[in-house]
Amino acid sequence: MPTSPSSMINQYKFEDESELRDLFITVDDPESHITAIETFITYRVVTKTSRSEFDSSEYEVRRRYQDFLWLKSKLEEAHPTLIIPPLPEKFIMKGMVERFSEEFIETRRKALHKFLNRIADHPTLTFNEDFKIFLTAQAWELSSHKKQGPGLLSRMGQTVRAVASSVRGGVKNRPEMFTEVNDYMETFSQKINVLDKIAHRIYKEEREYFNEMKEYGPIHTLWSASEEDIADSLKGVASCIDKCCKATEKRMAGLSENLLPIIHEYVLYSEILMGVLKRRDQIQGELDSKVDALANKKAEKDLITEEIGKLEDKVECANNALKADWDRWKQNMQYDMRSAFTNVAENNLRYYEECLATWESFLTSQTAALHVEEDSEDRP
Amino acid sequence: MESAAAEPSDSRPREEAAEEKEEEEDGDGAAAAPRSGPPPAEQPPAPAAATMEDCLSKKIEITVSEAEKRTGRNAMNMQETYTAYLIETRAVESQNEGQCSPVDSLWRRYSEFELLRNYLLVIYPHIVVPPLPEKRADFVWHKLSADNMDPDFVERRRIGLENFLLRVASHPVLCQDNIFYSFLTQEGGWKEMVNETGFQLKADSRLKALNATFRVKNPDKRFTELKHYSDELQSVISHLLRVRARVADRLYGVYKVHGNYGRVFSEWSAIEKEMGDGLQSAGHHMDVYAASIDDILEEEEHYADQLKEYLFYAEALRAVCRKHELMQYDLEMAAQDLTSKKQQCEELATGTVRTFSLKGMTSKLFGQETPEQREAKIKVLEEQIQEGEEQLKSKNLEGRDFVKSAWADIERFKEQKNHDLKEALISYAVMQISMCKKGIQVWTNAKECFSKM
């Protein structure tokens, strides 16, 4: 682990970057809106900044999920080979969470908050114009801005072309590096999906355990009501079990607040990365087909050569952007995984330490009582 | 806790507890006395109850050391498989002199233990007879097999049977029984010996007992309360065991699911450079964590068995209460019968009919009897009344003796129960502490690995 100050500055960590940040964003205060046609939720987005490009130093706007989707697609459009952070999914079927349940809204809010902050921390994306408009424009301003630019259909067309070109096998000149990245991402994607399932299963098992434990303690209290001599011991055990039950609830909460969301984000990230790689390949493909065209066509040589020149620049830009972002992504991933799993370990330690203290204090009280009994018997 | 006899391999705390309690009660000689009163009429003439030193458990060491699968033919000449248990006994005294006394041994199967217990129940109705371990596995959680042939079940039953023998051997009254002694020492012909005592004939019918329970008017309040207590005890322990089994199931699930980390961490570490080592070693610790639950839950089964024993003891308590109700009902019926006979006698003598009777009606309709007939009837009744009064006297005495001796054993039982259950709860706490410590160790190691990722 790097420890020198200079290397720490070079690591793009969330929390550490707070000293270098000049843009602070929070997402909070979900509010429900009911119109004749639909019901939807808006979130408050508060921005504080010292940047000169911003007219003011503080902004407060309300945004709905659709607006976040729009931002994400604009960023993808502008920077096809940059790794745009994941958005929470539209609607999650598993877990049977209601669309407007508090739990669902809170989970989404946290994910949206992370989304915007990751963009803010990104060396390139943070200066994106649409991002700025998203953070600062009033509702009507945003609507009118959204209507400009290529529509949904043209964006779909882009994606279709990208998929088509990759199907055509436009990867013949793919640099070694990106093949490695592709291979890595295929395995990573598999593993992270498995981890996602495991983490959810652990949560489920812990919750079922918690449910049974809730019933376990009270039985001892019930029993103590028909006993005299051992009533105290029984009540003691009941109290210990109840405390352990609460501790297990905390452990569960820790899992759902930390590990589960992070693993889920990286499941989404693995899809995003595959998309980025495809788009890079597509750009490469455009160049390759122009080069082929040059070889075949005798006329328009100059025109094609000029176009090739532009495309070569484009490819080089795309490759460099992706490489830099890939390195950055890998470092962040390592950090996120390390802190998430360390947090899990800490939660479990805290759980076992709490339970240990409870049972040890019960044991002490029992053996102290026994000694008192024995002592009183020794006396004539 | 000192114990005179060397402990058998799977000594349970209660064996020492039984001996310890005997030492406690030693100073309080009064505790032993009530039991040596005149035995109830149904008992064979028994000597005074043993003092603590004479208890069989102090003289011989008893173990149920092995279990073996056997095949044989049953009463209907069909082939059956059963388990036989090896009972070993060894005199204690010679051990003190440094000599190793010879071990006697014989094989018994579960049904023979049942026969022994049924015999004790009939012959000593005023004693809370120790229960046998369950015949079939109950309160199982999913991993445990409900199969009687399952080696874990057989092992736990072996321990339970040993415990049963030790309980009987350390009971001041039961330990003196010849049939019990023969059970331990005489392999052949024991069954015949038991059957020859004719104890089955002395058993009260279920129907008779049920009838008495409903109809008895004035049972001793203490027994009524005891019956309620034993109902509550049975209900609460069953509930506890059921929930414990479910909790164990869930706990098993939590631990085992962590075992899935190992493989995926290992596969993931293959594509990582810096994170690889941390992932790999963390995965190993997760495997250790997942595996640790097996021993933990195995130990907990022994705790469950300790509770189960008292679940079954509740039935033994109820049996003593039922016997009291039966005797009391019998007494009430006899008194009622006597009263009605006296009344009949009086009516005949004075010629007044106070109560309605068919005889009275018919004599009104068809004329009264001759004086000679009446005299004869009165004579018969007077004889019956005489007999009845004597019987009532002896039944009363029987009843009082039963109450006295039963209650003494119940007090002994209560102390034993409180001691054993308290210890069981303590041992449960010890188990939980050990589980927590193991958890702390594993997750400390895992945390270190994760921090190196």
Side-chain angles (χ1 to χ4, degrees), chain B residues 46-63:
Chain B
T51 58
M52 302 316 140
E53 279 88 39
D54 286 345
C55 252
L56 202 59
S57 61
K58 294 277 191 181
K59 292 197 212 152
I60 64 172
E61 186 189 310
I62 307 170
T63 54

Side-chain angles (χ1 to χ4, degrees), chain A residues 75-172:
Chain A
L75 291 174
E76 280 170 354
E77 218 182 283
H79 310 279
T81 58
L82 286 187
I83 303 168
I84 313 296
L87 264 183
E89 284 130 323
K90 269 214 168 95
F91 182 55
I92 304 168
M93 283 307 293
K94 67 182 167 189
M96 291 175 297
V97 177
E98 290 278 311
R99 192 157 81 98
F100 293 118
S101 83
E102 267 182 48
E103 204 186 309
F104 177 74
I105 292 171
E106 177 58 16
T107 311
R108 186 179 258 198
R109 181 199 69 74
K110 282 195 199 144
L112 293 175
H113 174 97
K114 238 184 179 175
F115 171 73
L116 291 180
N117 276 286
R118 279 194 169 124
I119 297 172
D121 290 334
H122 193 290
T124 311
L125 296 177
T126 193
F127 299 111
N128 180 280
E129 190 58 32
D130 289 313
F131 181 49
K132 178 157 166 276
I133 292 172
F134 178 93
L135 292 175
T136 60
Q138 287 308 305
W140 60 269
E141 286 174 316
L142 183 64
S143 300
S144 85
H145 177 80
K146 274 190 192 184
K147 292 198 175 97
Q148 305 161 11
L152 181 65
L153 284 173
S154 80
R155 262 182 277 133
M156 276 174 64
Q158 271 185 2
T159 315
V160 169
R161 275 199 296 278
V163 172
S165 69
S166 65
V167 164
R168 233 188 288 132
V171 291
K172 41 185 181 165

Side-chain angles (χ1 to χ4, degrees), chain B residues 11-73:
Chain B
S11 68
R12 311 290 298 283
R14 73 197 65 147
E15 192 215 302
E16 299 163 77
E19 285 165 40
E20 198 192 31
K21 255 190 302 84
E22 284 153 29
E23 279 147 57
E24 286 169 23
E25 286 180 272
D26 244 4
D28 180 24
R35 287 172 231 152
S36 55
E42 287 176 342
Q43 262 193 350
T51 58
M52 302 316 140
E53 279 88 39
D54 286 345
C55 252
L56 202 59
S57 61
K58 294 277 191 181
K59 292 197 212 152
I60 64 172
E61 186 189 310
I62 307 170
T63 54
V64 176
S65 52
E66 276 172 50
E68 210 177 76
K69 231 195 239 182
R70 299 263 179 93
T71 46
R73 293 207 169 267

Side-chain angles (χ1 to χ4, degrees), chain A residues 184 191 208 227 338 352, chain B residues 229 267 272 289 417 453:
Chain A
Y184 174 90
K191 300 312 153 196
E208 314 239 323
E227 297 287 344
R338 180 173 58 234
Y352 281 112
Chain B
Y229 169 76
E267 290 168 1
E272 297 292 343
Y289 182 66
K417 172 207 73 158
M453 266 164 63

Side-chain angles (χ1 to χ4, degrees), chain B residues 274-436:
Chain B
E274 287 163 41
M275 285 168 69
D277 288 338
L279 276 174
Q280 187 91 317
S281 46
H284 161 73
H285 292 298
M286 291 295 97
D287 287 338
V288 168
Y289 182 66
S292 67
I293 193 65
D294 294 312
D295 285 344
I296 291 168
L297 288 176
E298 168 81 33
E299 250 199 286
E300 248 194 51
E301 275 318 303
H302 292 299
Y303 167 71
D305 284 341
Q306 287 174 275
L307 293 182
K308 258 181 235 178
E309 195 194 11
Y310 279 92
L311 175 67
F312 302 143
Y313 255 125
E315 179 55 42
L317 276 175
R318 262 208 298 276
V320 176
C321 296
R322 273 201 299 268
K323 183 67 183 177
H324 165 74
E325 284 169 346
L326 198 63
M327 289 177 81
Q328 179 67 16
Y329 178 68
D330 214 27
L331 185 66
E332 286 170 7
M333 287 292 104
Q336 202 177 306
D337 192 54
L338 187 64
T339 309
S340 101
K341 285 207 163 77
K342 282 186 177 163
Q343 225 167 40
Q344 276 184 345
C345 204
E346 201 201 308
E347 281 168 20
L348 279 175
T350 59
T352 56
V353 181
R354 231 175 290 132
T355 54
F356 175 81
S357 73
L358 199 58
K359 211 71 228 270
M361 283 307 294
T362 52
S363 62
K364 276 218 149 132
L365 290 171
F366 299 114
Q368 291 190 347
E369 313 151 297
T370 66
E372 293 82 20
Q373 282 174 326
R374 215 185 318 146
E375 274 309 313
K377 279 206 190 103
I378 289 174
K379 197 102 193 243
V380 167
L381 274 173
E382 278 176 350
E383 272 173 34
Q384 285 180 342
I385 287 169
Q386 179 107 353
E387 249 182 71
E389 280 186 331
E390 273 172 32
Q391 263 195 13
L392 192 64
K393 219 190 242 173
S394 78
K395 278 200 160 103
N396 243 314
L397 207 63
E398 254 182 60
R400 273 208 295 271
D401 284 336
F402 177 88
V403 166
K404 205 161 148 203
S405 50
W407 205 256
D409 197 52
I410 286 163
E411 292 296 336
R412 178 205 62 82
F413 167 78
K414 277 188 188 167
E415 267 192 56
Q416 173 198 299
K417 172 207 73 158
N418 287 335
H419 182 281
D420 289 349
L421 288 176
K422 211 171 206 174
E423 271 206 14
L425 293 172
I426 288 175
S427 79
Y428 186 71
V430 169
M431 275 186 257
Q432 299 306 304
I433 287 171
S434 152
M435 178 172 88
C436 290

Side-chain angles (χ1 to χ4, degrees), chain B residues 89-119:
Chain B
T89 48
R90 190 203 332 225
V92 165
E93 291 148 57
S94 46
Q95 276 190 13
N96 296 337
E97 290 146 31
Q99 294 169 354
C100 210
S101 56
V103 173
D104 284 327
S105 65
L106 46 74
W107 293 89
R108 295 261 183 240
R109 52 185 294 191
Y110 188 84
S111 56
E112 292 175 277
F113 281 85
E114 277 184 312
L115 183 60
L116 172 65
R117 185 163 191 269
N118 288 337
Y119 163 83

